[in-house]
Amino acid sequence: MRITARVAEPVVMRGSTTKRIAMLALAGLALVLGVGARTTSEARTVPVAVLKGQERVDAALHGTLKAASLCGQVAELVCSQVPVPLDRTGQVSGTVSLHVEELPAQGTPRGFMFLIAGGPGQGSAQTFGLGDPNADALFRYLFPGFTLVAYDDRGTGSSGLIDCPPLQVALDVPTEQTAAAQCAQQLGSAAPFYSTADHAADLDAVRASLGADKVGLYGVSYGTKLAMAYALTFP
């Protein structure tokens, strides 16, 4: 496994959203690593989730893409849903549908770059805002030639959002502990399945849905922990 750390170059652009994203970009850590094996089946005979990059865009434009659709303010952005098991041991039933956003590379393709937000609790798709022209320009500058992928982790954003208001306003440790216990009670038997290990396994499910044999990871804050966990679990 090859791990490369890099510090993103600063970019000055207008707009409060872009400034926020730029600040996140400066704090990021990029990891490049190899995983899995590429699916080589023809696009016509495989599930929609395996379509890659321009194939997805073409299919969406021609109305043949059922599990994904064009979205955002730019024509190229494709949104899709990747279903994953709640409990991969099978002891607790249920699934989680992960919201995935994919912006195809410009120029010569170099691979896939996953943008992973912090928290834990931030939905990456919502945080990085792909589909906004300013955000797209920034991340295409930082990662030229890469197809950009941002998805909401289970329990965040549009991937089965966990909403625990008392925990969001807790200001001290005792209050946080009480609020966390209430939130766990609210989740019931699903509570154990929102760990970093689950997030790493979900990331690999998204990778597989793209048909990618290797991916780059750009993590911010908690996203750096998830990137390292993924590298260790799926070298």
Side-chain angles (χ1 to χ4, degrees):
M1 177 181 69
R2 178 168 61 87
I3 299 180
T4 304
R6 59 179 285 185
V7 178
E9 299 177 60
V11 179
V12 179
M13 302 179 71
R14 294 181 180 178
S16 59
T17 299
T18 304
K19 289 181 180 178
R20 174 176 58 83
I21 295 174
M23 292 178 65
L24 293 175
L26 293 174
L29 175 68
L31 299 175
V32 180
L33 52 120
V35 294
R38 182 179 294 276
T39 301
T40 57
S41 302
E42 291 295 325
R44 294 184 181 219
T45 61
V46 298
V48 166
V50 180
L51 293 178
K52 306 180 289 299
Q54 190 60 42
E55 292 175 330
R56 285 182 165 226
V57 175
D58 292 342
L61 288 172
H62 290 87
T64 59
L65 195 55
K66 302 303 183 184
S69 60
L70 296 174
C71 55
Q73 300 178 40
V74 297
E76 304 100 326
L77 188 70
V78 175
C79 294
S80 60
Q81 300 291 322
V82 176
V84 295
L86 174 66
D87 173 16
R88 284 182 166 83
T89 70
Q91 296 181 10
V92 177
S93 62
T95 60
V96 179
S97 184
L98 304 177
H99 173 73
V100 181
E101 298 186 0
E102 177 188 354
L103 187 68
Q106 292 181 330
T108 302
R110 299 176 59 191
F112 293 86
M113 183 64 65
F114 278 57
L115 308 179
I116 310 173
Q122 294 178 337
S124 297
Q126 293 189 350
T127 297
F128 291 105
L130 295 179
D132 176 88
N134 288 334
D136 295 347
L138 170 63
F139 290 109
R140 279 174 163 167
Y141 173 83
L142 293 173
F143 306 112
F146 282 91
T147 292
L148 302 171
V149 179
Y151 75 94
D152 292 338
D153 277 323
R154 61 171 64 197
T156 73
S158 298
S159 298
L161 177 66
I162 296 174
D163 187 15
C164 298
L167 192 57
Q168 297 168 19
V169 298
L171 298 177
D172 54 54
V173 173
T175 306
E176 287 178 350
Q177 291 175 336
T178 300
Q182 293 174 348
C183 188
Q185 186 175 14
Q186 173 183 320
L187 288 170
S189 61
F193 307 114
Y194 291 88
S195 67
T196 299
D198 293 300
H199 289 163
D202 289 348
L203 196 161
D204 198 58
V206 176
R207 173 205 62 79
S209 79
L210 299 173
D213 58 348
K214 63 174 63 176
V215 295
L217 306 179
Y218 173 79
V220 176
S221 188
Y222 168 74
T224 63
K225 176 179 180 178
L226 176 53
M228 291 302 297
Y230 182 74
L232 292 171
T233 308
F234 300 94

